[in-house]
């Protein structure tokens, strides 16, 4: 049994309809060339060039990177550095829309003989189609599918509150997702597919099971696990399945769908399904968003702010990243843009630890967050290491549950890094309790 | 266009609604049924004692704030909890000066000197009570709210205790498994090793609910907490059987509380235990 917290899902607002709304293309997009720390693409267009949606605008720089494609038709207006939502400032290609939304020929048409493509051909197509894993790590898919494994795991859990785009995607395109997973299985040489979902998505599990039954696939198994956080995160699944499976690779639903589109429909990675949600937006919803769309435009898809948000968060309130402004633009790894109300994100006043032990009860990797954080406050790194600082998977459960509102996850991260010149994240300022 | 600046901080971006202040106030709320019984049976004497303990707690908190140069936060509920627990453990006839002295020992020596809530070594009310037991043993010749002998009194107090337990449970303000283990092991020992003197179930139940489960002296891991409860039960039984102290549960919890740092070091969660083993290798 995985230890964790049954979080309030807050998924209802975006699940009123299981459709992903598609809007007119934005007036401009900024497509980043840097894909991760070690991979980037090299532009093959220059300012002033005219491009169509789906056209390649940057080649992979080496075997570790993927191509980049124009997500709308228009004119290249700049190839320069812009604000990247994760990596600080990074080089990007800016395209201004011509309002025509012309697409390259063949985009959307079924590729002939896609069922017969060999694993090597599939990997080449992944690289050419700009496919990366649609998580913040954005690992190029051709690299992730290099090593053959016994099982492929499709993570259909979506454990973060508010996020429902994968739920909507599964309900509206179940067969496409299954075909995408099957393509991934072939490129990995895996024998079986295990689809893991949570008990708050029973309808998804039932729908997938019925499609699998009628597809007559005997090599696919659907498992339903309890919806405790962080049971459905990839890092936690990795830990749990390690004990059970000899070799496996985990992919998420959005990646499987992108694979289907790239291989079957010849559509490179130019858009993704995402949740634009949070209680501060007028109409939170799941949308198809073109890559490179700026965050301000994304909030307009949800009819803008109902009121000023306390925080704007990318990818969920538990392990997501807060952003300072709406100046960034969408990259493939962003699944959600959440405008959260001040009362939702209130952190409360940090107090002394009252030894409630709740952090230990909810820690999924069974370390001692309280002892590690107390040691970190005193710069006792060896002691922190003894209590398992290095095992932390940064799920945020300890900080969430702490009644003293201590920045446990921060302190554990500080402790895990080991001795350095920096001071601990927060030192105890007050030794008394407050009625906050 | 000037972009709006939003607050940026590390994850997680939302927190559980429960906090330390709510926990202490929930524990205070759980004491209300007993306080009502106390006031109903002992009238003005009980109210006087409650006023003295609360006022003393307020004075001690203010003095500690001055001495340790920090802001007094009486409304946090922590010292109010100490004062209320303390009053309920005393006979209503306790002289005001003795009650005030006990609260001062409890709060200043039991808590503030170590750094306040969360940093104390002993549960303040237990330390204060032990101090009075040793300094003014005559006070305890009369019983308090937990020692009312009339049939109506017994049932009323027992009812109030069950109500308290319900409040604590609903508000998740105590570690019920520890209470259960303490009370269960204690009753088992009493049953196995039949003692000739009378057992005060209400006192022991009160100790199991409020004194044992005070997070200050409970170890951190669930396993250590259960072990702690069992040791505390055995110690209580031992003191009941082989000593003449009038409040064995108080002295048992006071002494077993000293084991907590060792229990925290020895009994760690599974992940941390593996890391410790690896470090040794």
């Amino acid at each position: 049994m995985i230890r964790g917290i049954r979080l309030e899902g807050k998924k209802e607002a975006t699940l009123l309809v299981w459709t992903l709304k598609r809007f007119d293309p934005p007036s401009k997009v900024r497509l980043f060339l840097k894909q991760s720390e070690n991979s980037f693409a090299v532009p093959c267009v220059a300012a002033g060039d005219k491009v169509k949606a789906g056209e390649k605008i940057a080649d992979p720089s080496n075997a570790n990177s993927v191509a980049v494609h124009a997500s709308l038709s228009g004119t290249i207006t700049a190839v320069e550095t812009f604000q990247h939502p994760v990596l600080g400032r990074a080089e990007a290609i800016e395209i201004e829309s011509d309002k025509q939304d012309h697409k390259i020929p063949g985009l959307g048409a079924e590729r002939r003989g896609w069922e017969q493509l060999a694993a090597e051909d599939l990997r080449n197509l992944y690289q050419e189609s700009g496919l990366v894993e649609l998580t913040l790590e954005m690992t190029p898919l051709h690299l992730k599918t290099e090593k053959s494994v016994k099982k492929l795991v499709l993570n259909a859990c979506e454990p973060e509150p508010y996020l429902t785009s994968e739920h909507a995607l599964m309900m509206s395109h179940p067969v496409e997702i299954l075909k995408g997973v099957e393509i991934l299985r072939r490129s990995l040489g895996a024998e079986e597919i295990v689809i893991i979902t949570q008990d708050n998505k029973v309808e998804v599990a039932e729908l997938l099971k019925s499609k699998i039954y009628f597809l007559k696939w005997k090599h696919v198994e659907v498992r339903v696990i309890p919806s405790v956080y962080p049971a459905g995160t990839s890092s936690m699944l990795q830990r749990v399945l390690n004990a059970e499976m000899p070799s496996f690779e985990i992919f998420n639903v959005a990646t499987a769908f992108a694979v289907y589109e790239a291989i079957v429909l010849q559509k490179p990675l130019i858009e993704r399904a995402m949740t634009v949600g949070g209680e501060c937006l007028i109409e939170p919803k799941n949308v198809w968003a073109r890559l490179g769309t700026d965050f301000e435009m994304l909030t307009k898809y949800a009819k803008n702010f109902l009121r000023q948000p306390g925080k704007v968060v990318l990818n969920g309130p538990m392990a997501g990243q807060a952003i300072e402004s709406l100046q960034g633009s969408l990259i493939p790894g962003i699944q959600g843009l959440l405008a959260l109300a001040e009362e939702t994100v209130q952190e409360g006043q940090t107090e002394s630890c009252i030894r409630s032990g709740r952090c230990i009860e909810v820690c999924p990797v069974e370390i001692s967050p309280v002892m590690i954080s107390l040691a970190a406050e005193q710069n006792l790194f060896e002691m922190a290491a003894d209590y398992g600082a290095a095992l932390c998977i940064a799920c945020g459960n300890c900080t969430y549950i702490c009644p003293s509102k201590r920045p446990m996850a921060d302190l554990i991260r500080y402790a895990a890094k080991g001795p350095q010149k920096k001071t601990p994240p927060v030192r105890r300022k007050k030794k008394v309790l407050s009625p906050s | 266009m000037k972009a709006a600046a939003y607050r940026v901080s590390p994850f997680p971006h939302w927190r559980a609604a429960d906090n330390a202040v709510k926990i202490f106030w929930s524990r205070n709320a759980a004491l209300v049924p007993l306080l009502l019984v106390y006031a109903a049976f002992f009238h003005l004497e009980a109210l006087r004692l409650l006023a003295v303990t609360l006022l003393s707690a307020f004075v001690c908190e203010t003095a500690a704030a001055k001495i340790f140069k920090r802001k007094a936060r009486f409304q946090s509920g922590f010292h109010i909890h100490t004062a209320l627990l303390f009053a309920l453990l005393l006979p209503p006839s306790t002289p005001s000066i003795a009650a005030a002295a006990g609260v001062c020992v409890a709060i200043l020596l039991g808590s503030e000197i170590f750094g306040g809530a969360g940093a104390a070594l002993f549960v303040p009310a237990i330390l204060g009570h032990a101090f009075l037991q040793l300094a003014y043993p005559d006070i305890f010749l009369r019983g308090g709210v937990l020692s009312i002998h009339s049939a109506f009194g017994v049932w009323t107090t027992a009812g109030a205790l069950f109500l308290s337990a319900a409040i604590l449970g609903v508000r998740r303000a105590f570690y019920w498994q520890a209470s259960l283990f303490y009370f269960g092991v204690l009753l088992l020992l009493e049953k196995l090793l039949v003692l000739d003197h009378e057992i005060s179930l209400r006192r022991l139940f009160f100790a199991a609910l409020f004194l044992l489960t005070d997070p200050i002296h409970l170890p951190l891991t669930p396993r250590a907490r259960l072990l702690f409860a069992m040791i505390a039960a055995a110690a209580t039984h031992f003191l009941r059987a082989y000593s003449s102290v009038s409040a064995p549960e108080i002295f048992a919890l006071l002494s077993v509380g000293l084991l907590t740092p060792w229990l925290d070091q020895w009994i760690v969660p599974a992940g941390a235990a593996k890391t410790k083993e690896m470090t040794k290798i």
Side-chain angles (χ1 to χ4, degrees), chain A residues 192-218:
Chain A
E192 283 174 53
I193 296 170
V194 180
I195 300 174
I196 299 180
T197 187
Q198 293 191 315
D199 58 11
N200 58 354
K201 293 183 192 63
V202 183
E203 66 278 19
V204 167
E206 290 308 315
L207 181 69
L208 291 177
K209 276 181 193 170
S210 77
K211 299 296 175 199
I212 292 163
Y213 177 80
F214 286 109
L215 283 166
K216 294 185 178 171
W217 286 358
K218 303 281 184 214

Side-chain angles (χ1 to χ4, degrees), chain A residues 311 317 324 342 366 405 432 434, chain B residues 6 9 13 16 21 73 271:
Chain A
K311 264 188 191 179
E324 205 175 15
E342 186 57 49
E366 298 187 47
K405 310 298 170 198
V432 288
S434 77
Chain B
Y6 305 110
S9 65
H13 304 290
V21 177
R73 291 286 179 90

Side-chain angles (χ1 to χ4, degrees), chain A residues 164-175:
Chain A
T164 56
S165 62
E166 292 199 344
H167 190 151
L169 200 56
M170 284 185 283
M171 291 307 287
S172 45
H173 300 282
V175 177

Side-chain angles (χ1 to χ4, degrees), chain A residues 21-40:
Chain A
K21 193 141 179 152
R22 202 180 289 274
F23 290 87
D24 289 338
S27 55
K28 70 170 181 203
V29 291
R30 282 172 187 163
L31 296 151
F32 287 95
L33 300 172
K34 195 166 183 180
Q35 288 141 3
S36 63
E37 282 300 328
N38 304 318
S39 63
F40 59 92

Side-chain angles (χ1 to χ4, degrees), chain A residues 283-421:
Chain A
E283 261 185 35
K285 55 169 73 83
N286 290 311
V287 299
W288 283 111
R290 304 273 176 120
L291 296 183
T293 308
D294 67 67
F295 295 150
E296 201 163 335
M297 188 68 203
L298 290 175
T299 62
K300 283 178 187 158
Y301 290 167
K303 297 201 173 167
N304 235 321
F305 292 136
L306 180 69
R307 59 181 246 211
Q308 188 69 1
K311 264 188 191 179
V312 178
V313 173
L314 302 176
N315 282 354
M318 287 303 282
Q321 181 188 326
I323 51 171
E324 205 175 15
S325 72
L326 295 176
Q327 277 184 329
S329 43
L330 182 66
I331 56 169
I334 295 175
Q335 194 204 335
L337 178 80
L338 308 175
L340 303 176
E342 186 57 49
E343 51 270 40
T344 308
V345 295
Q346 260 176 5
E347 284 162 15
Q349 196 171 341
T350 305
E351 313 285 0
S352 305
C353 172
I354 60 160
R355 300 173 51 85
S356 70
R358 291 184 186 182
C359 53
I360 292 178
E361 286 170 36
V362 300
C363 178
V365 289
E366 298 187 47
I367 57 173
S368 182
V370 53
M371 295 304 274
I372 297 168
S373 60
L374 290 172
E377 281 182 336
Q378 307 297 325
N379 285 328
L380 300 170
F381 296 103
E382 265 186 41
M383 189 182 177
D386 270 358
Y387 282 99
L391 298 179
C392 177
I393 57 161
C395 66
N397 270 7
C398 48
T399 314
Y400 172 85
I401 204 77
C402 178
S404 298
K405 310 298 170 198
R406 299 173 70 242
M408 314 276 277
D410 254 18
L411 286 162
I412 296 172
R413 207 164 35 217
Y414 171 76
K417 279 182 188 165
Q420 52 198 320
K421 283 178 186 169

